[in-house]
């Protein structure tokens, strides 16, 4: 146990943690690096150049003639995947805090750092990309010293691209990160921090042993679910899974026990022996709170069960995804899914398509509201179509967030304009260093759900970083905006919006849908309505055949007769015809500017 070190790498997005992980693996001869980002093995991660999943891998390093086992967990940097980071931190004793030498400390760096400090991790600050011409290591050092109050000498300057400073980082991990504490004689306690589904082996759970020893073939049980299994295979994680006969306290590894149903494995659960169980489960990590809700429906209604199975398998690998069944008049049966943010929602949609071949329609994302009736009873509504009758509502409360935005002083004006446009109120602003300022805003969560992050990035030329946490509920004047096609409401397009935005949003949605809905044999009326009041209308003109072409000469009544006949046909068609809303129309409504 004295020679084990468990650590993770935390940083803001694009500060070079996956490249640094590659260098550490190369330096310790764990693997030969054939291409960049060896741990990002998903196609999506390679294409977008971001880390989506945490990856655990074991290295061996020799220092002063003594061999050490280092368990590294590489984590994502985007705010939407912060739950992955919190789970990795629970399985570690130390963390490398990587900061880009040319960008300095960013919002996500700070929020991940606080998460690590809450778990009492040993922090090793590393300034990465010191070989870049635009690097400012001295200024960044000042920021780090101010942030965590460490000694200047303890900050390591490195470059993951050239390999500079990698040996110093490995030495610092061995010297500074404490070894795992635990009792090998005590009953077995192992914390599950991740799991994956394998179509041949069933569900594979990843864990860290806190107390006790596990042998191959042991009869184990999962503490919270109470299910019992045999440990068919246990081992450690290198680039592949390497079987071992026993795993001791402090080890990080995997267990395969032929589990088939995904609901039996919960991230944060404790594994223990059946014969000699532990008294209590390990303090896991807090339950995840989804921020954004959207309906996910199969395009083909017969795929409903397949979609359920696919979501369950995704949930194993990404515990921050939540879903409950729901049905809609327009789209049939589907699921109401909770996501941590818009990027998270986009990634889940892509993974459903690529990994499970599911064609799905996603509705307009929204957040949850508290609705109080005249008797003072509160109901939580996640979907605008589940809103009670407006006459029964006393008032509505919407969730607010406390947003912290770190930016350069040049962009303060446009950012403040953006936040005010989203009904934000300024709380305070502080100068972090030189020309960098941190601004705190209280903003309704519903306003930032759709395009806030993209707009923030574009007006600040990518320099502003954004982080947020929930900050209670407040009363708001919200109204439900419905979109009607030929008088029929499309519940997938209905939204709850603030009174001041409703007219503008309704008009823009109608205009956008007019461009996207294909022309039919009859006129389609697209209307936006608040209750019974129509506030905007557009018409998609019908496709018409010239029925009078064959009628030449003769009396005008012959022409009129043919046109009347066509008119009656169109009328009948309109009664029985239905309008298909294409998937790109749902997505275009999200991107309304």
């Amino acid at each position: 146990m004295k020679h084990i070190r468990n650590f993770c790498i935390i940083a803001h997005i694009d500060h070079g943690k996956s490249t640094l992980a590659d260098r550490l693996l190369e330096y310790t001869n764990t693997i030969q690096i054939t291409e960049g980002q060896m741990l990002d093995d998903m196609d999506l991660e390679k294409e977008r150049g971001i880390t989506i999943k945490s990856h655990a891998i074991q290295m061996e390093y020799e220092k002063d003639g003594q061999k050490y086992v280092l368990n590294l967990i590489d984590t994502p940097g985007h705010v939407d995947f912060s739950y992955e980071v919190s789970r990795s931190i629970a399985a570690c004793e130390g963390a490398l805090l990587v900061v880009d030498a040319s960008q300095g400390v960013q919002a996500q760096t700070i929020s991940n750092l606080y998460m690590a400090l809450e778990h009492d991790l040993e922090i090793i600050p590393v300034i990465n990309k010191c070989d870049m011409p635009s690097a400012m290591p001295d200024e960044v050092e000042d920021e780090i010293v101010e942030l965590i109050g460490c000694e200047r000498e303890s900050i390591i300057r490195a470059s993951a691209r050239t390999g500079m400073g990698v040996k110093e980082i490995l030495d610092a991990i061995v010297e500074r990160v404490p070894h795992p504490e635990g009792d090998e004689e005590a009953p077995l306690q192992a914390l599950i921090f991740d799991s994956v589904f394998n179509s041949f082996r069933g569900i594979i759970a990843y864990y860290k042993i806190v107390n006790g020893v596990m042998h191959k073939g042991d009869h184990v049980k999962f503490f919270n679910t109470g299910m019992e299994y045999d440990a068919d295979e246990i081992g450690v994680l290198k680039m592949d899974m390497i079987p071992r006969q026993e795993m001791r306290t402090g080890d990080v590894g995997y267990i395969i026990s032929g589990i088939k149903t995904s609901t039996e494995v919960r991230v944060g659960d404790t594994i223990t022996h059946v014969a000699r169980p532990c008294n209590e489960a390990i303090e896991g990590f807090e339950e995840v709170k989804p921020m954004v809700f959207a309906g996910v429906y199969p395009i083909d209604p017969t795929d409903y069960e397949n979609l359920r199975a696919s979501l369950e398998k995704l949930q194993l690998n990404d515990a921050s995804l939540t879903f409950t069944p729901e049905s809609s008049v327009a789209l049939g049966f589907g699921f109401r899914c909770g996501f941590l943010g818009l990027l998270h929602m986009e990634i889940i949609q892509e993974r459903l398509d690529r990994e499970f071949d599911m064609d799905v329609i996603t509705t307009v994302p929204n957040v949850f509201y508290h609705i109080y009736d005249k008797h003072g009873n509160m109901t939580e509504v996640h979907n605008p179509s589940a809103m009670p009758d407006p006459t029964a509502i006393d008032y509505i409360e919407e969730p607010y967030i406390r947003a912290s935005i770190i930016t350069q002083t040049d962009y303060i004006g446009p950012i403040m304009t953006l936040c005010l446009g989203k009904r934000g109120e300024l709380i305070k602003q502080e100068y972090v260093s030189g020309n960098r300022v941190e601004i705190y805003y209280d903003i309704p969560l519903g306003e930032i759900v759709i395009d806030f992050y993209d707009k923030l990035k574009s007006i600040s030329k990518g320099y502003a970083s954004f982080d947020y946490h929930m900050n209670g509920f407040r009363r708001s004047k919200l109204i439900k905006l419905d979109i009607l096609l030929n008088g029929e409401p499309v519940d997938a397009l209905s939204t709850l919006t603030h009174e001041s935005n409703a007219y503008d949003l309704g008009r823009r949605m109608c205009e956008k849908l007019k461009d996207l809905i294909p022309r039919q044999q009859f006129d389609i009326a697209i209307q936006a309505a608040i209750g019974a009041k129509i506030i905007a209308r557009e018409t998609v003109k019908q496709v018409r055949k010239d029925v009078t072409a064959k009628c030449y000469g003769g009396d005008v009544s012959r022409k009129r007769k043919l046109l009347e006949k066509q008119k009656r046909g169109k009328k009948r068609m309109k009664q029985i015809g239905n309008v298909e809303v294409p998937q790109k129309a749902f997505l275009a409504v999200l991107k309304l500017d």
Side-chain angles (χ1 to χ4, degrees):
M1 217 191 333
K2 296 241 182 327
H3 303 128
I4 297 176
R5 301 286 183 273
N6 298 323
F7 69 100
C8 59
I9 303 183
I10 55 177
H12 190 78
I13 190 165
D14 263 353
H15 280 203
K17 33 184 191 318
S18 298
T19 316
L20 181 63
D22 283 355
R23 285 294 150 274
L24 296 175
L25 295 174
E26 194 175 47
Y27 194 88
T28 55
N29 297 324
T30 308
I31 47 171
Q32 296 299 306
I33 305 289
T34 50
E35 53 181 324
Q37 270 81 19
M38 296 293 286
L39 293 182
D40 292 355
D41 48 9
M42 231 188 278
D43 290 343
L44 263 174
E45 294 182 313
K46 288 178 179 151
E47 278 166 32
R48 291 178 177 237
I50 56 176
T51 307
I52 295 168
K53 283 292 305 158
S54 302
H55 296 274
I57 189 163
Q58 191 178 88
M59 307 179 279
E60 284 169 4
Y61 178 61
E62 197 169 306
K63 183 176 189 292
D64 306 334
Q66 177 63 54
K67 271 195 176 163
Y68 291 91
V69 171
L70 311 180
N71 290 311
L72 153 71
I73 302 179
D74 178 28
T75 63
H78 196 282
V79 58
D80 278 15
F81 305 111
S82 53
Y83 188 60
E84 289 284 329
V85 183
S86 73
R87 290 164 25 198
S88 311
I89 285 174
C92 294
E93 282 87 31
L96 291 183
L97 178 76
V98 179
V99 180
D100 186 327
S102 55
Q103 292 184 8
V105 174
Q106 306 261 323
Q108 192 58 31
T109 319
I110 296 176
S111 78
N112 285 344
L113 172 72
Y114 287 151
M115 223 187 291
L117 290 173
E118 276 168 25
H119 284 81
D120 294 336
L121 298 200
E122 179 62 40
I123 308 288
I124 300 175
V126 176
I127 301 181
N128 194 15
K129 304 190 187 180
C130 283
D131 61 321
M132 301 270 282
S134 59
M136 320 171 290
D138 296 338
E139 287 91 331
V140 177
E141 249 182 32
D142 294 341
E143 288 180 19
I144 294 176
V145 169
E146 202 170 306
L147 186 66
I148 53 178
C150 61
E151 297 294 319
R152 218 169 248 287
E153 296 70 53
S154 68
I155 302 174
I156 301 169
R157 294 190 182 189
S159 162
R161 194 172 58 184
T162 60
M164 151 191 163
V166 172
K167 184 180 187 308
E168 287 83 349
I169 292 174
L170 286 164
D171 288 344
I173 291 165
V174 169
E175 287 161 13
R176 296 193 218 164
V177 175
H179 60 79
E181 299 285 336
D183 182 2
E184 291 200 347
E185 303 303 317
L188 173 69
Q189 272 183 316
L191 174 73
I192 300 177
F193 64 87
D194 205 355
S195 55
V196 293
F197 180 80
N198 182 314
S199 44
F200 303 107
R201 314 288 308 263
I203 290 159
I204 305 170
Y206 298 157
Y207 58 82
K208 173 198 173 187
I209 299 185
V210 179
N211 289 315
V213 180
M214 189 192 306
H215 296 86
K216 185 181 171 178
D218 278 355
H219 194 45
V220 296
K221 77 167 179 180
F222 289 13
F223 200 90
N224 290 341
T225 54
M227 308 297 271
E228 302 186 2
Y229 310 100
D230 288 323
D232 301 334
E233 184 183 307
I234 56 172
V236 294
L237 298 153
K238 295 219 171 170
M239 227 29 213
D240 299 314
M241 296 184 285
I242 301 189
R244 291 276 161 91
Q245 288 302 313
E246 67 167 15
M247 300 286 285
R248 310 187 75 83
T249 303
D251 282 338
V252 173
Y254 70 93
I255 176 169
I256 299 177
S257 46
I259 306 169
K260 293 288 180 283
T261 38
S262 45
T263 47
E264 293 174 17
V265 178
R266 290 220 186 99
V267 167
D269 205 346
T270 303
I271 308 176
T272 186
H273 283 132
V274 175
R276 187 174 162 226
C278 55
N279 301 329
E280 54 186 19
I282 303 167
E283 285 292 314
F285 15 89
E286 69 285 348
E287 278 295 306
V288 60
K289 289 192 180 66
M291 298 286 181
V292 180
F293 295 89
V296 174
Y297 295 87
I299 287 178
D300 179 0
T302 54
D303 279 344
Y304 176 72
E305 281 305 321
N306 296 349
L307 179 60
R308 179 196 291 274
S310 308
L311 284 169
E312 280 178 357
K313 287 172 190 168
L314 266 183
Q315 197 176 29
L316 274 176
N317 198 250
D318 181 353
S320 53
L321 170 70
T322 57
F323 62 93
T324 49
E326 73 163 4
S327 65
S328 130
V329 184
L331 301 168
F333 288 102
F335 295 93
R336 183 118 206 111
C337 299
F339 309 98
L340 293 183
L342 270 197
L343 178 71
H344 187 211
M345 173 175 138
E346 221 175 290
I347 296 289
I348 293 287
Q349 239 176 305
E350 284 265 327
R351 287 182 69 183
L352 279 172
D353 182 27
R354 293 186 187 201
E355 295 172 29
F356 304 100
D357 226 4
M358 296 296 310
D359 282 336
V360 294
I361 286 181
T362 313
T363 64
V364 181
N366 55 22
V367 297
F368 56 100
Y369 298 93
H370 288 170
I371 294 179
Y372 290 83
D373 62 12
K374 300 275 169 62
H375 305 293
N377 302 323
M378 189 269 283
T379 44
E380 195 173 280
V381 170
H382 290 215
N383 189 351
S385 56
M387 283 267 297
D389 185 23
T391 52
I393 298 175
D394 186 18
Y395 62 93
I396 303 177
E397 286 187 340
E398 65 176 333
Y400 265 70
I401 57 155
R402 171 67 53 89
S404 101
I405 300 168
I406 295 184
T407 177
Q408 295 188 343
T409 42
D410 318 358
Y411 307 114
I412 290 182
I415 288 175
M416 286 189 163
T417 313
L418 172 70
C419 294
L420 290 171
K422 298 281 185 190
R423 314 203 318 268
E425 62 184 65
L426 179 65
I427 302 301
K428 61 174 177 180
Q429 64 183 59
E430 297 171 346
Y431 283 85
V432 184
S433 68
N435 68 335
R436 302 256 309 273
V437 63
E438 184 166 11
I439 313 174
Y440 293 93
Y441 264 96
D442 277 356
I443 307 179
L445 181 59
E447 292 282 344
I448 67 151
V449 153
I450 293 183
D451 56 358
F452 181 81
Y453 194 65
D454 301 344
K455 281 186 176 167
L456 179 70
K457 282 289 177 203
S458 59
I459 60 175
S460 66
K461 302 192 172 59
Y463 276 112
S465 57
F466 170 69
D467 187 57
Y468 62 89
H469 56 263
M470 288 299 288
N471 193 23
F473 283 75
R474 299 191 194 174
R475 280 172 86 148
S476 281
K477 281 192 171 176
L478 296 169
I479 42 185
K480 184 181 167 192
L481 180 71
D482 285 315
I483 299 292
L484 314 175
L485 293 182
N486 280 345
E488 290 292 315
V490 183
D491 54 358
L493 288 173
S494 60
T495 49
L496 266 180
T497 179
H498 195 258
E499 206 173 41
S500 57
N501 299 343
Y503 285 83
D504 187 34
L505 181 69
R507 196 190 70 252
R508 293 196 332 240
M509 278 171 99
C510 288
E511 284 168 4
K512 196 82 176 181
L513 287 170
K514 183 188 173 186
D515 300 339
L516 291 164
I517 290 177
R519 288 171 70 182
Q520 311 278 345
Q521 298 281 355
F522 49 89
D523 279 354
I524 305 169
I526 304 169
Q527 295 166 310
I530 297 173
K533 184 180 175 190
I534 304 292
I535 58 168
R537 168 180 173 136
E538 294 286 339
T539 309
V540 179
K541 281 299 189 195
Q542 59 193 356
V543 181
R544 286 186 62 172
K545 177 182 166 190
D546 187 1
V547 287
T548 59
K550 64 183 182 196
C551 171
Y552 47 89
D555 190 47
V556 71
S557 59
R558 291 177 60 196
K559 244 181 191 169
R560 201 165 286 144
K561 187 174 149 195
L562 287 169
L563 288 168
E564 281 299 325
K565 187 177 169 191
Q566 184 190 33
K567 196 170 166 186
R568 286 198 302 276
K570 293 275 186 199
K571 192 173 174 186
R572 192 167 68 248
M573 213 182 269
K574 188 169 182 172
Q575 286 167 352
I576 58 169
N578 62 346
V579 187
E580 289 284 308
V581 183
Q583 165 74 3
K584 68 168 186 263
F586 290 111
L587 294 175
V589 172
L590 311 187
K591 300 209 160 48
L592 275 179
D593 194 31

